[in-house]
Amino acid sequence: MNCLRSSEQILMDEMVPSPESLATKDHTSSVRSSRAGEAGQKPDTGNIEEAESSLRESGCLNYEEARALLGRYEYQKGNIEAALHVFEGIDIASVTPKLKLALAERVQTQKRRSQSFSTPPLSINAVSLLLEAVFLKAKSLQALQRYKEAAQSCTVLLDILESSLPAGLPETFATDCKLQDTLNKAVELLPELCKLADAPREAIMSYRRALLHQWNLDIQTTAKIQKEFAIFLLYSGGESCPPNLQSQMDGSFVPRNNIEEAILLLMILLRKISLQRIEWDPSILDHLSYALSISGGLKTLASKVEELLPRTIDRQEMSLILALCYYGGGDDFTALNLLRKLLSSTEDHSCVPGLLLASKVCAENPDCASEGIIYAHKAIERLQEGCSHLLGVANCVLGLSLTAHSRTVLTDSERVKIHSDALKSFESAGKLTKMTDTNVIYHLCLENAEQRKLDVAVHYANWFLKLEGGSTLKGSMLLARVLSAQKRFLDAETVINVALEQSGKWDHGALLRTKAKLQIAQGQVKNAIETYTQILAILQVQRRSFRLGEDLKEFKDHCRTLELETWLDLASIYIKLSQWRDAEKCLSKTEAISSYSACRLYTAGLLNQSKGLYKAALGDYSNALAVNPSHVPSLVSSAVVLRKIGKQSPAIIRSLLTETLRLDRMNASAWYNLGLLYKEGGLGSAAEAADCFEAAIILEETEPVEPFR
């Protein structure tokens, strides 16, 4: 080409068929990109056909079209820098009005179903060729890591099509040219370029633009964009502004944050799978499981899994997912029934994940603990030649089931043996996991603490905090309780103060409650009251700062429970100080929170008992036991009041105390009162009374300010 100017048009028969010459002439100083695999790349024959088609329609090939064709040829050969130089010679700004007019004319012609007499400024093949050049320019810039410029080029392409075709690209365009294919690729590419350019806000806007505008994308492309957008929303680490969906119908769901928007997208994808519009993709369910688990929507996840067709997902996997969902949603009964059904089938009776989960669920219900032991033993047998870490987990759940089962046995000798076996299981779990599993270390600490091996428990608590980075609420609370059992109250308070500095403001409530109890143990009653006041102030701020909806129900329940406990703790302090009016005010605050709480009724009983109103106190304790028959403080206090009244037989009092010790073998008050009963009532020997008093002294010396569990 000897003369190539934007104002001139060159006839095809005057062109020398050497596309490389223009690139060489215009870009002699540029360094060619790597040509690895160049020999295997061949020019697309569609280029020649489109050029011929364009010539047949217009009789000529103008400057921009020539550059578009040559640039594409260079790009396909792998000469990225040369291709970019050719593409940059296209003045897309001057061609844009012609592109828009040609597209609009084409749409109008198809709507009228007749040939228009007006001739469009560009043929549809020329439009396709030029827009593809814009797209390939973006791809070239991407390959050269000029992501911001690439995103700008891609945006230009989409702006032209969006303004020209507000209703989307007609389906008939796909039969005439590659325009739809170029559009699909550009819509997919723009968000990726924004992410590479470190522009998360622009990436989110690009994803929403791709999904909300009528591009007439095929369902596979749309599904791919929806999935990538959901992944970006879940794991990008930033929070975007909610989408503007005012154009939607009234009453339609509008996501309020990243998580909700991601969940909506993933649910749409799962629905498409259920309707068999797209193929099954297991990662969609994985991402949805994560999103719903962190937002408290596990039961919703269960319903979505149940909608899947049986052949879509393996039956065993479905049962496990559903069991996890119901277990995470607090429905242990349904979860255990699903697991029992799974493990009872001939082919799945040795499913290790099912066995481990079933054992863990059983461990949280003492009535099913023996069943949990069986499941754990089966898992251990199955894993003897398998993964050592998973074998350690199996030993850990065996220890949990044994600990739960120990609460149901009657004889001391059997209970001691079970506790010993549980500790051995936890120690084996620690060795198998190389002391790196924080869950195993936590339970090792807990079991040693409950068996009053406090020095060992402190070691494991410190190790747990080290593994967790030293700033976990759970580990700090446990270490403080173990230290308080050693009567190292100042050290325990230091641990709590450090945790307060390292934790978020909304986590301070539980830590401050432990701190207040440590202050009471040191006789600092005034300081404890001030600490409880801080808790109430935090709870008041939380209520004003958050609109607690159903998705935050668990957090809302936690706040209500903490507020109830705080007022009851304050009431207990005032009862011990004989400030009965203040105690009554605190109790009145709890009535609106939970009027039928066993703890509230028990505290009311303490108030009446301190006033000498033993019958009223006994009525309160009875009401508390009616609400919760296993409420240990009410059982002990009922026995104390009955012994003071002296109108009930010692056998009834003893039954209350023995039931207490069955539920809580480490209750010092129950041992002490049982010793008094043996001493005064003649139900036991002096030696038995002495044993009870000795147990009470030992347990009182190692009693934490709060229960270890």
Side-chain angles (χ1 to χ4, degrees):
M1 298 179 184
N2 298 321
C3 184
L4 198 60
R5 295 187 294 274
S6 60
S7 59
E8 294 178 326
Q9 294 181 334
I10 309 300
L11 294 177
M12 191 62 179
D13 55 6
E14 296 175 354
M15 294 174 59
V16 179
S18 178
E20 193 172 357
S21 61
L22 179 63
T24 305
K25 181 179 178 180
D26 287 352
H27 194 50
T28 55
S29 61
S30 67
V31 180
R32 295 293 178 96
S33 302
S34 172
R35 297 188 179 222
E38 181 181 333
Q41 295 181 355
K42 296 181 179 179
D44 187 359
T45 57
N47 298 351
I48 301 172
E49 293 174 0
E50 288 182 21
E52 290 177 350
S53 177
S54 180
L55 286 171
R56 281 195 298 270
E57 292 181 7
S58 62
C60 57
L61 188 69
N62 65 24
Y63 179 82
E64 285 79 13
E65 293 171 40
R67 277 191 171 270
L69 196 60
L70 295 175
R72 180 166 64 179
Y73 185 81
E74 291 290 344
Y75 181 84
Q76 289 175 342
K77 288 177 63 180
N79 302 329
I80 303 301
E81 292 188 14
L84 178 61
H85 190 78
V86 175
F87 288 136
E88 285 177 338
I90 300 174
D91 187 2
I92 194 65
S94 64
V95 182
T96 297
K98 297 179 181 179
L99 292 171
K100 292 181 178 181
L101 185 59
L103 288 168
E105 285 286 338
R106 180 60 177 255
V107 172
Q108 291 299 321
T109 300
Q110 291 186 343
K111 284 183 177 179
R112 290 192 293 267
R113 297 181 180 273
S114 62
Q115 185 64 38
S116 174
F117 293 101
S118 61
T119 303
L122 293 172
S123 69
I124 193 61
N125 286 289
V127 171
S128 176
L129 185 64
L130 290 170
L131 291 179
E132 186 190 23
V134 179
F135 171 73
L136 292 178
K137 178 182 177 182
K139 291 289 291 182
S140 302
L141 289 165
Q142 180 190 14
L144 297 173
Q145 298 184 6
R146 293 161 62 179
Y147 303 123
K148 189 174 180 179
E149 296 174 63
Q152 291 172 349
S153 180
C154 208
T155 302
V156 168
L157 167 60
L158 295 180
D159 286 343
I160 292 172
L161 289 171
E162 186 175 15
S163 59
S164 305
L165 307 168
L169 199 66
E171 294 181 2
T172 54
F173 273 39
T175 61
D176 297 336
C177 62
K178 295 172 61 178
L179 191 54
Q180 183 66 60
D181 183 56
T182 302
L183 173 59
N184 290 357
K185 292 177 180 177
V187 169
E188 278 190 71
L189 180 63
L190 182 56
E192 297 300 321
L193 293 173
C194 292
K195 289 190 289 185
L196 291 170
D198 194 20
R201 186 172 179 274
E202 287 74 12
I204 289 174
M205 293 173 64
S206 300
Y207 274 123
R208 289 175 180 164
R209 180 184 188 182
L211 296 174
L212 295 177
H213 186 73
Q214 297 182 22
W215 300 111
N216 289 340
L217 305 176
D218 62 88
I219 192 167
Q220 299 298 333
T221 301
T222 302
K224 184 178 179 182
I225 294 172
Q226 287 171 331
K227 178 186 171 183
E228 293 299 324
F229 186 22
I231 292 172
F232 184 72
L233 289 169
L234 283 176
Y235 310 115
S236 63
E239 188 64 42
S240 66
C241 57
N244 181 11
L245 299 180
Q246 294 179 354
S247 61
Q248 302 295 308
M249 295 176 60
D250 293 338
S252 60
F253 174 74
V254 179
R256 295 172 295 179
N257 51 49
N258 282 18
I259 302 298
E260 288 189 358
E261 192 168 0
I263 289 172
L264 178 61
L265 290 166
L266 292 168
M267 282 187 171
I268 291 172
L269 288 170
L270 211 59
R271 183 63 175 169
K272 290 179 179 178
I273 292 172
S274 299
L275 296 174
Q276 297 182 305
R277 294 179 180 174
I278 60 176
E279 294 182 358
W280 166 242
D281 183 354
S283 65
I284 292 173
L285 189 58
D286 293 339
H287 296 305
L288 182 60
S289 300
Y290 168 74
L292 287 172
S293 64
I294 63 176
S295 61
L298 288 174
K299 290 189 176 179
T300 303
L301 175 61
S303 66
K304 294 300 174 185
V305 173
E306 288 170 345
E307 290 177 2
L308 295 174
L309 296 174
R311 61 180 176 273
T312 303
I313 184 172
D314 180 71
R315 188 181 65 84
Q316 177 179 302
E317 184 181 358
M318 176 178 281
S319 297
L320 282 172
I321 292 173
L322 290 174
L324 282 166
C325 289
Y326 285 112
Y327 173 68
D331 191 351
D332 295 0
F333 179 76
T334 303
L336 187 56
N337 281 340
L338 280 167
L339 292 168
R340 284 169 175 163
K341 185 176 180 180
L342 170 67
L343 298 172
S344 64
S345 61
T346 54
E347 68 273 18
D348 296 327
H349 68 280
S350 59
C351 171
V352 171
L355 290 168
L356 294 176
L357 181 58
S359 181
K360 188 176 189 301
V361 175
C362 290
E364 296 178 7
N365 184 357
D367 295 333
C368 302
S370 58
E371 185 181 358
I373 294 171
I374 296 171
Y375 290 136
H377 278 303
K378 287 183 178 180
I380 291 171
E381 291 174 7
R382 180 75 173 172
L383 289 166
Q384 285 302 323
E385 303 298 328
C387 172
S388 60
H389 188 92
L390 201 56
L391 182 59
V393 174
N395 276 276
C396 182
V397 295
L398 174 60
L400 293 174
S401 296
L402 287 167
T403 301
H405 182 55
S406 68
R407 303 188 191 110
T408 62
V409 300
L410 298 177
T411 63
D412 288 338
S413 59
E414 190 177 0
R415 185 179 293 108
V416 170
K417 183 181 182 304
I418 292 175
H419 274 297
S420 176
D421 292 342
L423 190 55
K424 288 178 182 177
S425 296
F426 288 128
E427 289 172 348
S428 297
K431 291 177 183 177
L432 288 165
T433 57
K434 299 179 180 180
M435 301 300 287
T436 58
D437 190 314
T438 55
N439 187 53
V440 172
I441 303 301
Y442 180 82
H443 287 292
L444 262 172
C445 175
L446 202 56
E447 190 63 31
N448 278 285
E450 291 201 328
Q451 295 188 30
R452 295 305 191 263
K453 298 177 181 180
L454 299 179
D455 290 336
V456 180
V458 168
H459 167 73
Y460 284 126
N462 282 316
W463 185 249
F464 176 83
L465 283 172
K466 183 179 179 180
L467 291 176
E468 289 284 351
S471 59
T472 70
L473 179 67
K474 183 179 176 181
S476 298
M477 297 277 282
L478 182 57
L479 177 58
R481 289 167 182 170
V482 176
L483 291 171
S484 73
Q486 293 182 318
K487 308 308 174 189
R488 296 165 58 184
F489 299 121
L490 285 175
D491 292 340
E493 192 171 351
T494 300
V495 170
I496 295 298
N497 288 334
V498 171
L500 286 168
E501 292 176 0
Q502 296 178 341
S503 60
K505 185 177 181 180
W506 302 141
D507 293 329
H508 285 184
L511 291 168
L512 288 172
R513 185 168 182 247
T514 302
K515 181 177 180 178
K517 292 191 174 184
L518 290 168
Q519 291 169 334
I520 292 171
Q522 298 173 76
Q524 302 170 6
V525 178
K526 185 176 180 181
N527 291 342
I529 292 174
E530 291 178 357
T531 303
Y532 280 122
T533 304
Q534 291 180 42
I535 298 174
L536 294 172
I538 290 173
L539 291 171
Q540 187 175 9
V541 172
Q542 284 178 337
R543 282 197 299 270
R544 292 179 178 178
S545 300
F546 293 108
R547 295 175 61 187
L548 298 174
E550 288 298 319
D551 54 336
L552 296 173
K553 185 178 183 299
E554 185 177 351
F555 180 71
K556 183 177 180 180
D557 292 342
H558 169 73
C559 291
R560 288 173 64 87
T561 301
L562 181 59
E563 184 178 6
L564 176 68
E565 292 170 343
T566 301
W567 284 116
L568 293 178
D569 287 349
L570 281 169
S572 298
I573 292 174
Y574 291 128
I575 289 170
K576 291 177 181 178
L577 297 173
S578 299
Q579 297 179 15
W580 297 329
R581 182 169 295 180
D582 291 332
E584 289 171 353
K585 288 180 180 178
C586 293
L587 279 172
S588 66
K589 296 285 187 180
T590 64
E591 189 171 1
I593 302 172
S594 180
S595 57
Y596 293 103
S597 165
C599 293
R600 180 186 179 279
L601 294 167
Y602 164 72
T603 307
L606 286 180
L607 178 59
N608 285 320
Q609 184 178 340
S610 67
K611 293 179 180 180
L613 305 174
Y614 295 122
K615 289 184 178 180
L618 189 60
D620 290 326
Y621 297 142
S622 298
N623 290 334
L625 291 170
V627 174
N628 181 8
S630 301
H631 192 250
V632 169
S634 296
L635 286 168
V636 177
S637 295
S638 296
V640 171
V641 170
L642 287 173
R643 192 172 61 82
K644 286 186 177 181
I645 293 175
K647 292 183 179 181
Q648 293 290 342
S649 68
I652 294 176
I653 300 173
R654 183 176 63 177
S655 67
L656 290 169
L657 294 172
T658 53
E659 174 64 13
T660 300
L661 293 173
R662 186 187 71 80
L663 295 168
D664 181 9
R665 200 68 183 170
M666 300 298 183
N667 192 293
S669 179
W671 282 111
Y672 174 73
N673 283 284
L674 186 60
L676 289 177
L677 184 66
Y678 285 160
K679 178 183 176 183
E680 299 170 0
L683 290 177
S685 64
E688 289 177 315
D691 289 341
C692 290
F693 289 138
E694 184 179 0
I697 292 171
I698 293 172
L699 291 173
E700 189 175 17
E701 288 176 349
T702 58
E703 187 175 17
V705 293
E706 289 180 312
F708 294 117
R709 292 189 186 275

